[in-house]
Amino acid sequence: MAENKGDIRYVGVKETLIYGIANAGQCFGYNIIAGSYLSLFFTKVFGVPPTAVAAMMLFLGLWDTFNDPLMGSIVDRTRTRYGKLRPYLLIVPIPLGIATILLFAGPQLLGDKVTDAAKIIYMFVTYFFWELFYTLGDVPFWGMSAAISPSPSDRTRVISSARFISGILGGLSTPILTVLMDLSNKGAIPLSLSQVFLLMSILSATYGMGLFSLSGFFTKERVVQTIKEPSILDGFKALIKNKPLLLIVIGNVLAAIGGIGGFFSAYYYSEVVQMNSLTIIIYLPGTILGFITYLLIPKVKERFDNRQIIFLNGFVRLIVGIIVFLVGVKCFTNLWVVVPLLMIQNFLFSFFNTINAVIPTEMIGDTIDYMEWKTGQRNEGVSFSVLTFVGKLTGSISGTIGNALLPVIGLSFVQISATETMTVKAYEYTDTLIWGMFTLAPAILGLLPLIPYIWYDLTGDKLNQVREEMAERRAKLSIEVSGGANNE
Amino acid sequence: MSNCPKCNEKLSPFYMKQNCPKCNTNLVYYDLDNRLQADHEKAMREQEAVERVLNNIKTSAFGGALQIIRFVLMFSPLAWMCLPMFKANDGESVTLISVIMGIIGGGFDFSNPSYLFPVITMVCIIVFSLVVIISSLFSLGKKAFLRNTILSIINLLVLAVCIILTILQGANIGAGAIIVVVTYIIENIMHKLVDKKISK
């Protein structure tokens, strides 16, 4: 009875799809900002010195370590008749949309004749507000994946839907941006690079945030929360006491270091082969496999537990990364070699990327149930703030390290006019170093996040015990609170 | 504006508290057990409807060798368009790849009608083929064969008109365009064969 109750389907197909579409809207803008295109925008288009961009990424990255759990705790304290997560999903898309436009509007708003100091202040302020609102939207959104249903299979479905649909619709922003950048660079469209970025930010704010707001209107919270709000301190305590969650956090933070591969990929396509839209062709086969992989997730999970999948991912990436680096090291500008090589790499990686997109989110949901099982308190806000924080930290750490490495590897940009910048490569081997940072470095650094998972034990029998006992407790609780009584 | 589910008190959309101001019922959890049951029943109904649609698609696209051949055939114009579709009045071949590269490179001459019309033809092929593909994914049902056939014939007629207009602009027809026409004719025959098989 207990097992059946835990696996009952409560979330319908429409709600599952809407959750996915909302994530696509959110990701549409996020993909531009979290990818290295924000750094490229600030350095190459806005003309901010790379050291200032690196300093901002580092400073705001450190601020997030405190700010994100704080926002999570505020979400956990929220108790309204609409639920604890939905109010944020209804309101936040509006300020987040405005913040997205302002982030990319610097060159238009400030004009040509401003000092570097003014640009740096503008960049700091707009990025700070964008991050604040993004966190206030992202934490409740992912918290909803655990609160939408008490059933683990419902949660897996909504997470898969979110990742799958955001991969298609949300992923459109990067190819659109790269094509527009190429067209702008070649003068095929009457838009400068700064106007291209502004256009994309307006699209993100309207189309993206419009879709994101659907999650507030059409999803429901179905897991019973305590009526009494936990204090902000309780939120931080819960985070520290939750050992499996802490191990996931450490693993994800270490994984962020390997994110420099993503940072240098933009510079590889933009400055080495000088064809940003090449990514569309290179990612195409992998993208298709990635979508098919969503259907294979249940099969993979039948064979391996979540921890085993994470280890498998790390080792496959290491082997493939080394091979790709060695094959391409002498000919990384030869498109006849590089395009099929990177296509194969992405094809193999996309399988694990898809699984990786679902499993850590699902694991955080497990740790929330685990803490509820242990303490009686659910902390979706503070727990998923970790996911948000790590997501941003990936961009922040990789952006900081990457920006700091740009002068070391001899890559810099000289502004020759208000709208034009010239690339300077100091060494003969600068391009080779970019290739290495793009392919080899993330493969080796990808082993670091495996270390904390050696101690992760919320799998197998232990996880089943938590799920079964929680299903029983919830069944009783839902009958108790149905009369509208308080659940202390 | 909504009402309290217990005492029917009117609540403003901006009233945020969890409890009804009149009867103090917890608005979030009142009748939760029944609402969960209703959600479960609704979810199962939606699931059944999706399964019916998926079964329709599965049978129509992958239900047998004929369906698979038809499905692949309907996507094949994308490959045929990579062959020379037309020869423009300056002797240059126009293919899907040359159009894409020309647009990305900014050197595509849209002002020359013998380039512009092949592009319009290719856009029509893509759009109308997609319509036929989507329609053929739902080949179960009484009117499915008629609908598929009508759409395929419209597709063929549109292509024929596009080809004629392109030739009138001074371009010559290429192998790609001829193969697409042949593909559309075979597609129509396949609709009939698939329908016969499904009807059995």
Side-chain angles (χ1 to χ4, degrees), chain A residues 352-424:
Chain A
F352 289 101
N353 286 345
T354 301
I355 292 173
N356 255 1
V358 175
I359 280 173
T361 315
E362 200 185 301
M363 286 166 90
I364 291 175
D366 291 340
T367 69
I368 294 168
D369 285 346
Y370 170 73
M371 278 307 280
E372 189 185 1
W373 176 73
K374 211 172 142 183
T375 66
Q377 285 276 354
R378 286 185 70 78
N379 301 91
E380 284 98 345
V382 81
S383 303
F384 276 99
S385 71
V386 170
L387 187 74
T388 307
F389 158 66
V390 172
K392 285 190 287 187
L393 191 72
T394 311
S396 196
I397 289 184
S398 58
T400 305
I401 300 173
N403 275 306
L405 282 173
L406 286 181
V408 178
I409 64 169
L411 186 68
S412 57
F413 301 99
V414 177
Q415 193 139 17
I416 49 176
S417 75
T419 52
E420 273 185 278
T421 316
M422 192 174 75
T423 305
V424 179

Side-chain angles (χ1 to χ4, degrees), chain A residues 9 13 81-82 222 225 482, chain B residues 13 15 29 31 33 46-47:
Chain A
R9 182 167 189 163
V13 178
R81 75 177 174 106
Y82 297 108
R222 294 184 178 84
Q225 307 280 342
S482 280
Chain B
Y15 177 78
Y29 299 128
D31 205 24
D33 209 33
E46 284 181 16
Q47 176 65 22

Side-chain angles (χ1 to χ4, degrees), chain A residues 285-470:
Chain A
T287 307
I288 294 165
L289 177 69
F291 294 143
I292 296 167
T293 306
Y294 282 101
L295 301 172
L296 303 175
I297 288 176
K299 295 274 174 209
V300 174
K301 289 194 70 178
E302 272 173 24
R303 210 176 167 83
F304 303 103
D305 66 37
N306 289 345
R307 190 174 68 153
Q308 289 168 329
I309 293 168
I310 285 170
F311 276 92
L312 193 64
N313 173 28
F315 290 118
V316 169
R317 279 173 191 275
L318 177 72
I319 295 163
V320 175
I322 291 172
I323 293 170
V324 168
F325 171 74
L326 293 174
V327 173
V329 72
K330 295 283 179 198
C331 49
F332 51 78
T333 51
N334 184 342
L335 295 185
W336 292 105
V337 177
V338 165
V339 171
L341 188 67
L342 292 176
M343 264 182 170
I344 294 167
Q345 178 190 260
N346 281 298
F347 188 76
L348 296 171
F349 283 1
S350 66
F351 177 78
F352 289 101
N353 286 345
T354 301
I355 292 173
N356 255 1
V358 175
I359 280 173
T361 315
E362 200 185 301
M363 286 166 90
I364 291 175
D366 291 340
T367 69
I368 294 168
D369 285 346
Y370 170 73
M371 278 307 280
E372 189 185 1
W373 176 73
K374 211 172 142 183
T375 66
Q377 285 276 354
R378 286 185 70 78
N379 301 91
E380 284 98 345
V382 81
S383 303
F384 276 99
S385 71
V386 170
L387 187 74
T388 307
F389 158 66
V390 172
K392 285 190 287 187
L393 191 72
T394 311
S396 196
I397 289 184
S398 58
T400 305
I401 300 173
N403 275 306
L405 282 173
L406 286 181
V408 178
I409 64 169
L411 186 68
S412 57
F413 301 99
V414 177
Q415 193 139 17
I416 49 176
S417 75
T419 52
E420 273 185 278
T421 316
M422 192 174 75
T423 305
V424 179
K425 291 173 186 169
Y427 315 117
E428 273 179 26
Y429 51 84
T430 294
D431 283 350
T432 312
L433 289 173
I434 294 174
W435 172 252
M437 298 307 288
F438 168 39
T439 55
L440 188 61
I444 295 167
L445 294 171
L447 292 181
L448 285 176
L450 302 186
I451 298 166
Y453 282 101
I454 294 168
W455 293 279
Y456 187 88
D457 64 352
L458 195 55
T459 52
D461 291 342
K462 189 176 176 180
L463 183 61
N464 285 338
Q465 188 197 347
V466 171
R467 282 178 175 168
E468 283 169 16
E469 289 187 23
M470 283 314 301

Side-chain angles (χ1 to χ4, degrees), chain A residues 128-190:
Chain A
F128 173 82
F129 278 106
W130 179 84
E131 273 218 325
L132 182 77
F133 290 121
Y134 180 78
T135 307
L136 268 176
D138 196 55
V139 168
F141 181 82
W142 289 113
M144 186 61 97
S145 72
I148 201 164
S149 168
S151 155
S153 52
D154 267 343
R155 293 179 190 173
T156 306
R157 266 191 294 272
V158 294
I159 296 166
S160 299
S161 161
R163 301 297 191 189
F164 176 73
I165 299 175
S166 69
I168 301 171
L169 292 178
L172 282 176
S173 59
T174 315
I176 294 173
L177 176 66
T178 52
V179 168
L180 286 176
M181 281 167 73
D182 282 346
L183 291 173
S184 167
N185 284 333
K186 286 169 183 163
I189 52 170

